[in-house]
């Protein structure tokens, strides 16, 4: 089976995530940071992920647990994750919490944290040491490489035939916090030389991007030589374009830094946005590029988690969609800390409702995966969700002109999960509609030409993606009006 290893492949005008030789979309969830340290807690996580119909779990591997003493490894957490995922027939995307996590170095082992001479810290512009491991004049890369290679070797041995693990995230939201760059003496000496590519103007943020990208590319490249799994890194996005580097981690693959990262880290297959912002379309369209598929390793777990899912797949052909803190979906409190996490603006949408919609959606879309992924890299599919501003949207899909209207306005009551959907063109005559809370008016793009229904069916796709008709809709019911909860319609048209 080693010839069918997971991979990210180009497909026509897009990308395809290949798992066991078939196109795949990770309908996923990321566990809370500390989850994997408790076997008991993880048992509940797997059960909850199963309720949600997740096919993949994103879970951290902590350097401090993997290598508690230099050169001595403890693979217990990875082993348990493999066992859990296999028992629940899910895939894993492992997050390497190595030298940096959310800018800081909290997951580095004790023997690194306490040896400041061998592993210096970055310094701010006043020469004050931070809690962030520096990349300059240090053994950091050499020792991290050993640990990361150990992990990849272990995965290759334990999972090279089964492919439970389908991708690895290298580090987590890197960048310097509290300063625009590392001002330590060793960093300063390199900074004075400018960037290796002299055609790029030197700025503090670009300098840090170059250094992080080079460090992480070494990890990814060497890791892949041992076991060639897809690798990516994620980004803590700045909230607005004029925000100063250092108030967000300076050096991560921000929207305006993608080109540098692509040039310096070619072995990272994907640069992946942690997409918590309400400006979903702006970010999704920035990270879906010719040289980068959209892949969302973290996103909100409120009502927008449901709505954005349809747009992420239908409009941006994402390879992964993953609400953060997946085991807390359906809870008003974080399942791990007990703190209230419900968004105040969502008070009228219960956590239970979010859970129900997400679970139904993952189930539907999971069954439809072969059909949906056939549309990846083509223009045979659209996806959308309500944004609080527009009550209707207009789309062109092949020769169809489609007006989508949402039933419920996003008023101050805010009592509905925002409407969302995907429409796929199966062939010239047939469309599939999936989603909830919208109606669609379908017309011909061409003046003088009309179309009408030949048939309209409500039904489901079974686990083999085979259409199971539940009802023929005609007469009073012959229009595209989706249910309140996620459902599927299939329409055949004729033209005249
Ligand atoms: C982004 C980080 O990447 C996650 O590990 C986690 O800390 C979330 N933020 C919390 O919202």
């Amino acid at each position: 089976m080693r010839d069918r290893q997971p991979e990210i492949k180009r497909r026509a005008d897009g990308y395809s995530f290949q798992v066991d030789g078939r196109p795949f979309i990770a309908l996923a969830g990321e566990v809370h940071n500390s989850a994997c340290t408790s076997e008991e807690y993880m048992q509940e996580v797997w059960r909850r992920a199963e309720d949600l119909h997740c096919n993949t779990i994103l879970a951290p591997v902590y350097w401090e647990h993997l290598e508690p003493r230099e050169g001595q490894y403890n693979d217990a957490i990875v082993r348990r994750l493999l066992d859990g995922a296999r028992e629940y027939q899910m895939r894993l995307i492992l997050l390497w919490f190595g030298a940096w996590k959310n800018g800081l170095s909290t997951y580095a082992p004790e023997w690194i944290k306490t040896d400041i001479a061998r592993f210096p810290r970055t310094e701010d512009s006043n020469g004050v040491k931070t809690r962030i491991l520096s990349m300059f004049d240090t053994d950091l890369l050499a020792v991290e490489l050993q640990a990361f290679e150990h992990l990849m070797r272990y995965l290759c041995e334990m999972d090279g035939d089964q492919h439970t693990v389908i991708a690895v995230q290298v580090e987590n939201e890197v960048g310097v916090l509290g300063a625009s760059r590392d001002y330590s003496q060793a960093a300063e000496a390199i900074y004075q030389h400018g960037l290796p590519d002299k055609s790029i103007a030197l700025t503090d943020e670009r300098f840090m991007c170059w250094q992080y990208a080079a460090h992480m590319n070494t990890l990814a490249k060497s890791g892949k030589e041992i076991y060639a799994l897809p690798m990516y890194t994620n980004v803590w996005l700045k909230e607005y374009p004029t925000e100063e580097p250092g108030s967000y981690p300076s050096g991560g693959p921000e929207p305006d830094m993608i080109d540098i990262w692509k040039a310096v880290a070619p072995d990272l297959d994907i640069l992946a946005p942690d997409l918590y912002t309400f400006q979903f379309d702006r970010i999704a369209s920035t990270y879906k590029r010719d040289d980068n598929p959209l892949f969302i390793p973290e996103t909100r777990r409120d009502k927008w988690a449901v709505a954005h899912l349809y747009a992420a797949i239908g409009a941006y052909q994402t390879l992964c969609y993953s609400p953060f803190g997946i085991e807390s979906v359906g809870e008003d409190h974080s399942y791990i800390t007990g703190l209230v996490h419900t968004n105040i603006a969502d008070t009228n949408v219960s956590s239970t409702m979010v859970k129900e919609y997400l679970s139904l959606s993952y189930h539907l879309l999971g069954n439809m995966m072969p059909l949906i992924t056939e549309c990846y890299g083509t223009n045979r599919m659209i996806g959308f969700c309500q944004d609080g501003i527009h009550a209707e949207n207009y789309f062109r899909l092949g020769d169809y002109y489609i007006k989508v209207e949402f039933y419920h306005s996003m008023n101050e009551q805010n009592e509905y999960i925002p409407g969302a959907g995907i429409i796929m063109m199966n062939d010239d005559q047939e469309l599939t509609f999936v989603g909830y809370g919208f109606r669609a008016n379908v017309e011909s793009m061409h003046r003088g030409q009309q179309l009408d229904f030949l048939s309209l069916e409500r039904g489901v796709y079974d686990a083999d993606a085979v259409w199971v008709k539940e009802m023929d809709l005609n007469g009073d019911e012959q229009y595209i009006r989706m249910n309140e909860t996620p459902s599927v319609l299939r329409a055949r048209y004729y033209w005249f």
Side-chain angles (χ1 to χ4, degrees), residues 365-396:
L365 299 174
N367 282 356
M368 294 173 71
M369 185 124 50
L371 308 167
I372 294 175
T373 50
E374 258 310 295
C375 296
Y376 271 38
T378 76
N379 53 12
R380 291 198 289 110
M381 175 170 67
I382 55 173
F384 44 83
C385 73
Q386 202 168 356
D387 60 11
I389 301 169
H390 304 97
E392 53 192 44
N393 283 327
Y394 296 85
F395 300 94
R396 179 181 181 167

Short mmCIF file of all heavy atoms in Angstrom, two decimals, residues 365-396:
data_model
loop_
_atom_site.label_atom_id
_atom_site.label_comp_id
_atom_site.label_asym_id
_atom_site.label_seq_id
_atom_site.Cartn_x
_atom_site.Cartn_y
_atom_site.Cartn_z
N LEU A 365 -22.42 15.68 3.54
CA LEU A 365 -21.29 15.99 2.65
C LEU A 365 -20.30 14.82 2.61
O LEU A 365 -19.67 14.56 1.59
CB LEU A 365 -20.60 17.28 3.09
CG LEU A 365 -21.50 18.53 3.06
CD1 LEU A 365 -20.78 19.74 3.65
CD2 LEU A 365 -21.96 18.85 1.64
N GLY A 366 -20.19 14.12 3.74
CA GLY A 366 -19.31 12.94 3.77
C GLY A 366 -19.79 11.89 2.78
O GLY A 366 -19.00 11.33 2.00
N ASN A 367 -21.10 11.63 2.76
CA ASN A 367 -21.64 10.65 1.81
C ASN A 367 -21.48 11.11 0.36
O ASN A 367 -21.33 10.31 -0.55
CB ASN A 367 -23.12 10.39 2.10
CG ASN A 367 -23.32 9.47 3.30
OD1 ASN A 367 -22.35 8.96 3.86
ND2 ASN A 367 -24.56 9.26 3.69
N MET A 368 -21.53 12.42 0.18
CA MET A 368 -21.45 12.96 -1.20
C MET A 368 -20.01 13.19 -1.67
O MET A 368 -19.80 13.70 -2.78
CB MET A 368 -22.21 14.30 -1.25
CG MET A 368 -23.69 14.16 -1.04
SD MET A 368 -24.48 15.79 -0.92
CE MET A 368 -24.34 16.35 -2.61
N MET A 369 -19.05 12.81 -0.84
CA MET A 369 -17.65 13.19 -1.12
C MET A 369 -17.18 12.84 -2.55
O MET A 369 -16.57 13.68 -3.21
CB MET A 369 -16.74 12.54 -0.09
CG MET A 369 -15.32 12.97 -0.26
SD MET A 369 -14.61 13.67 1.17
CE MET A 369 -14.93 12.58 2.46
N PRO A 370 -17.46 11.63 -3.07
CA PRO A 370 -16.97 11.34 -4.43
C PRO A 370 -17.56 12.29 -5.47
O PRO A 370 -16.88 12.65 -6.43
CB PRO A 370 -17.45 9.90 -4.68
CG PRO A 370 -17.78 9.34 -3.34
CD PRO A 370 -18.15 10.49 -2.47
N LEU A 371 -18.81 12.71 -5.26
CA LEU A 371 -19.44 13.61 -6.24
C LEU A 371 -18.88 15.02 -6.11
O LEU A 371 -18.61 15.69 -7.10
CB LEU A 371 -20.96 13.65 -6.01
CG LEU A 371 -21.63 12.28 -5.97
CD1 LEU A 371 -23.03 12.36 -5.43
CD2 LEU A 371 -21.63 11.69 -7.37
N ILE A 372 -18.69 15.44 -4.87
CA ILE A 372 -18.18 16.80 -4.65
C ILE A 372 -16.74 16.91 -5.15
O ILE A 372 -16.38 17.86 -5.85
CB ILE A 372 -18.25 17.17 -3.15
CG1 ILE A 372 -19.72 17.26 -2.71
CG2 ILE A 372 -17.53 18.47 -2.88
CD1 ILE A 372 -19.91 17.48 -1.22
N THR A 373 -15.92 15.93 -4.81
CA THR A 373 -14.50 16.04 -5.20
C THR A 373 -14.33 15.94 -6.72
O THR A 373 -13.34 16.42 -7.26
CB THR A 373 -13.64 14.97 -4.50
OG1 THR A 373 -14.27 13.69 -4.67
CG2 THR A 373 -13.49 15.27 -3.02
N GLU A 374 -15.31 15.34 -7.41
CA GLU A 374 -15.29 15.34 -8.89
C GLU A 374 -15.34 16.78 -9.42
O GLU A 374 -14.89 17.06 -10.52
CB GLU A 374 -16.50 14.56 -9.43
CG GLU A 374 -16.20 13.17 -9.90
CD GLU A 374 -15.01 13.14 -10.85
OE1 GLU A 374 -15.12 13.72 -11.93
OE2 GLU A 374 -13.96 12.57 -10.48
N CYS A 375 -15.95 17.65 -8.65
CA CYS A 375 -16.08 19.05 -9.08
C CYS A 375 -14.86 19.88 -8.72
O CYS A 375 -14.74 21.04 -9.15
CB CYS A 375 -17.32 19.70 -8.45
SG CYS A 375 -18.86 18.94 -8.96
N TYR A 376 -13.99 19.35 -7.87
CA TYR A 376 -12.79 20.12 -7.50
C TYR A 376 -11.93 20.34 -8.74
O TYR A 376 -11.76 19.44 -9.57
CB TYR A 376 -11.99 19.38 -6.41
CG TYR A 376 -12.44 19.73 -5.00
CD1 TYR A 376 -13.78 19.93 -4.70
CD2 TYR A 376 -11.52 19.88 -3.96
CE1 TYR A 376 -14.19 20.25 -3.41
CE2 TYR A 376 -11.91 20.21 -2.66
CZ TYR A 376 -13.26 20.40 -2.40
OH TYR A 376 -13.66 20.73 -1.13
N GLY A 377 -11.42 21.54 -8.87
CA GLY A 377 -10.58 21.85 -10.04
C GLY A 377 -11.41 22.18 -11.28
O GLY A 377 -10.86 22.37 -12.35
N THR A 378 -12.75 22.21 -11.14
CA THR A 378 -13.61 22.57 -12.28
C THR A 378 -14.47 23.77 -11.87
O THR A 378 -14.41 24.22 -10.73
CB THR A 378 -14.58 21.41 -12.62
OG1 THR A 378 -15.64 21.39 -11.64
CG2 THR A 378 -13.89 20.07 -12.63
N ASN A 379 -15.31 24.22 -12.81
CA ASN A 379 -16.27 25.28 -12.42
C ASN A 379 -17.69 24.73 -12.44
O ASN A 379 -18.63 25.43 -12.78
CB ASN A 379 -16.11 26.51 -13.33
CG ASN A 379 -16.18 26.12 -14.78
OD1 ASN A 379 -16.57 24.98 -15.10
ND2 ASN A 379 -15.81 27.01 -15.67
N ARG A 380 -17.83 23.47 -12.04
CA ARG A 380 -19.16 22.83 -12.03
C ARG A 380 -19.86 22.89 -10.66
O ARG A 380 -20.80 22.16 -10.40
CB ARG A 380 -19.03 21.37 -12.48
CG ARG A 380 -18.67 21.26 -13.96
CD ARG A 380 -18.95 19.89 -14.53
NE ARG A 380 -18.00 18.89 -14.05
CZ ARG A 380 -18.32 17.91 -13.20
NH1 ARG A 380 -19.53 17.80 -12.72
NH2 ARG A 380 -17.40 17.05 -12.84
N MET A 381 -19.34 23.75 -9.77
CA MET A 381 -19.92 23.79 -8.42
C MET A 381 -19.85 25.21 -7.88
O MET A 381 -18.88 25.93 -8.13
CB MET A 381 -19.10 22.84 -7.52
CG MET A 381 -19.49 22.85 -6.07
SD MET A 381 -18.68 21.50 -5.15
CE MET A 381 -16.97 22.01 -5.21
N ILE A 382 -20.88 25.61 -7.14
CA ILE A 382 -20.81 26.87 -6.40
C ILE A 382 -21.17 26.60 -4.94
O ILE A 382 -21.81 25.60 -4.63
CB ILE A 382 -21.76 27.95 -6.99
CG1 ILE A 382 -23.20 27.42 -7.04
CG2 ILE A 382 -21.31 28.42 -8.36
CD1 ILE A 382 -24.23 28.46 -7.44
N GLY A 383 -20.74 27.49 -4.08
CA GLY A 383 -21.08 27.37 -2.66
C GLY A 383 -21.26 28.76 -2.09
O GLY A 383 -20.67 29.72 -2.60
N PHE A 384 -22.06 28.88 -1.07
CA PHE A 384 -22.38 30.21 -0.54
C PHE A 384 -22.88 30.10 0.89
O PHE A 384 -23.30 29.02 1.33
CB PHE A 384 -23.46 30.88 -1.41
CG PHE A 384 -24.57 29.94 -1.76
CD1 PHE A 384 -25.62 29.71 -0.89
CD2 PHE A 384 -24.54 29.23 -2.96
CE1 PHE A 384 -26.63 28.81 -1.20
CE2 PHE A 384 -25.55 28.32 -3.28
CZ PHE A 384 -26.60 28.12 -2.40
N CYS A 385 -22.85 31.21 1.60
CA CYS A 385 -23.57 31.30 2.87
C CYS A 385 -23.98 32.73 3.10
O CYS A 385 -23.43 33.66 2.50
CB CYS A 385 -22.74 30.75 4.02
SG CYS A 385 -21.39 31.79 4.51
N GLN A 386 -24.96 32.87 3.92
CA GLN A 386 -25.51 34.19 4.23
C GLN A 386 -24.45 34.98 4.98
O GLN A 386 -23.73 34.41 5.81
CB GLN A 386 -26.72 33.96 5.14
CG GLN A 386 -27.70 35.07 5.16
CD GLN A 386 -28.97 34.63 5.84
OE1 GLN A 386 -29.13 33.47 6.21
NE2 GLN A 386 -29.89 35.56 6.02
N ASP A 387 -24.37 36.29 4.72
CA ASP A 387 -23.32 37.04 5.39
C ASP A 387 -23.84 38.17 6.27
O ASP A 387 -23.08 38.98 6.76
CB ASP A 387 -22.33 37.60 4.36
CG ASP A 387 -23.02 38.53 3.37
OD1 ASP A 387 -24.20 38.89 3.60
OD2 ASP A 387 -22.38 38.88 2.36
N GLY A 388 -25.12 38.22 6.46
CA GLY A 388 -25.63 39.26 7.35
C GLY A 388 -25.91 40.56 6.61
O GLY A 388 -26.52 41.48 7.13
N ILE A 389 -25.41 40.67 5.35
CA ILE A 389 -25.64 41.90 4.58
C ILE A 389 -26.59 41.63 3.42
O ILE A 389 -27.56 42.33 3.22
CB ILE A 389 -24.31 42.45 4.02
CG1 ILE A 389 -23.33 42.73 5.16
CG2 ILE A 389 -24.54 43.71 3.18
CD1 ILE A 389 -21.92 43.02 4.71
N HIS A 390 -26.29 40.54 2.69
CA HIS A 390 -27.09 40.27 1.49
C HIS A 390 -28.17 39.23 1.80
O HIS A 390 -27.87 38.17 2.34
CB HIS A 390 -26.20 39.73 0.37
CG HIS A 390 -25.07 40.64 0.04
ND1 HIS A 390 -23.80 40.46 0.56
CD2 HIS A 390 -25.02 41.74 -0.73
CE1 HIS A 390 -23.02 41.42 0.12
NE2 HIS A 390 -23.72 42.21 -0.66
N ALA A 391 -29.40 39.55 1.40
CA ALA A 391 -30.48 38.58 1.58
C ALA A 391 -30.54 37.66 0.38
O ALA A 391 -31.20 36.63 0.40
CB ALA A 391 -31.81 39.30 1.77
N GLU A 392 -29.88 38.07 -0.74
CA GLU A 392 -29.87 37.21 -1.93
C GLU A 392 -28.53 37.31 -2.65
O GLU A 392 -27.80 38.30 -2.50
CB GLU A 392 -31.02 37.59 -2.87
CG GLU A 392 -31.04 39.07 -3.22
CD GLU A 392 -32.32 39.49 -3.91
OE1 GLU A 392 -33.39 39.07 -3.46
OE2 GLU A 392 -32.22 40.24 -4.90
N ASN A 393 -28.22 36.28 -3.42
CA ASN A 393 -26.97 36.24 -4.19
C ASN A 393 -27.28 35.73 -5.58
O ASN A 393 -28.24 34.97 -5.76
CB ASN A 393 -25.97 35.26 -3.55
CG ASN A 393 -25.31 35.85 -2.32
OD1 ASN A 393 -25.09 37.05 -2.25
ND2 ASN A 393 -25.01 35.01 -1.36
N TYR A 394 -26.44 36.10 -6.54
CA TYR A 394 -26.64 35.66 -7.93
C TYR A 394 -25.40 34.92 -8.40
O TYR A 394 -24.27 35.35 -8.13
CB TYR A 394 -26.89 36.87 -8.84
CG TYR A 394 -28.15 37.61 -8.48
CD1 TYR A 394 -28.15 38.58 -7.48
CD2 TYR A 394 -29.35 37.32 -9.12
CE1 TYR A 394 -29.31 39.24 -7.13
CE2 TYR A 394 -30.51 37.98 -8.78
CZ TYR A 394 -30.49 38.94 -7.78
OH TYR A 394 -31.65 39.60 -7.43
N PHE A 395 -25.63 33.81 -9.10
CA PHE A 395 -24.49 33.01 -9.57
C PHE A 395 -24.69 32.57 -11.00
O PHE A 395 -25.83 32.34 -11.44
CB PHE A 395 -24.35 31.73 -8.72
CG PHE A 395 -24.12 31.99 -7.28
CD1 PHE A 395 -25.21 32.01 -6.40
CD2 PHE A 395 -22.85 32.22 -6.78
CE1 PHE A 395 -25.01 32.25 -5.05
CE2 PHE A 395 -22.65 32.46 -5.43
CZ PHE A 395 -23.73 32.47 -4.56
N ARG A 396 -23.58 32.34 -11.67
CA ARG A 396 -23.63 31.65 -12.95
C ARG A 396 -23.01 30.27 -12.72
O ARG A 396 -21.94 30.14 -12.14
CB ARG A 396 -22.80 32.42 -13.98
CG ARG A 396 -22.84 31.70 -15.28
CD ARG A 396 -22.04 32.32 -16.38
NE ARG A 396 -22.25 31.44 -17.55
CZ ARG A 396 -21.93 31.74 -18.76
NH1 ARG A 396 -21.40 32.90 -19.04
NH2 ARG A 396 -22.14 30.88 -19.74
#
